[in-house]
Amino acid sequence: MSAEEDFHQVGAELADLGVRISRMMGSPALKDQVGKVFASLQRDGAMVFRLVRDTPEHAAALELPGASLFDPSGQGRTMKDWVVVPHSAAGQWTDLAEAALSRPR
């Protein structure tokens, strides 16, 4: 499947938890029941998750091949709570999205 199809699959799997697919700054995003974004699909096909630093899920996500902290500017200013996970690890996306959804914001 394509990254976008995998993204939509994650959204469908979490719909029963009140998750909806929306957009944030032009990118497809997953929002919780109150409208806060907790995951987003990037143009390169990777997905970014708000996992909260110093949690087991955050550490595990960073250990995936190709994963990194999210740097939206590309200038070394990372958002330390957000982890970019490449499409090659799409099999982990639903679990990571559930973890991101469960973390307080």
Side-chain angles (χ1 to χ4, degrees), residues 7-104:
F7 169 82
H8 282 280
Q9 179 66 33
V10 172
E13 290 178 20
L14 300 181
D16 288 345
L17 300 175
V19 171
R20 61 188 170 90
I21 296 174
S22 187
R23 295 194 81 74
M24 179 182 75
M25 298 195 302
S27 296
L30 297 178
K31 292 184 177 180
D32 63 16
Q33 291 179 331
V34 295
K36 299 239 184 212
V37 172
F38 64 92
S40 178
L41 183 66
Q42 304 302 292
R43 289 188 187 122
D44 65 359
M47 199 160 162
V48 61
F49 302 90
R50 185 181 184 281
L51 293 169
V52 184
R53 72 190 101 174
D54 301 325
T55 62
E57 298 87 2
H58 187 272
L62 283 174
E63 290 178 11
L64 293 169
S68 63
L69 291 176
F70 184 44
D71 180 7
S73 70
Q75 297 181 7
R77 289 182 248 147
T78 59
M79 297 177 73
K80 293 180 180 23
D81 287 337
W82 292 78
V83 179
V84 179
V85 178
H87 185 235
S88 60
Q92 303 295 315
W93 284 3
T94 299
D95 291 340
L96 293 169
E98 286 176 339
L101 178 62
S102 71
R103 291 289 173 196

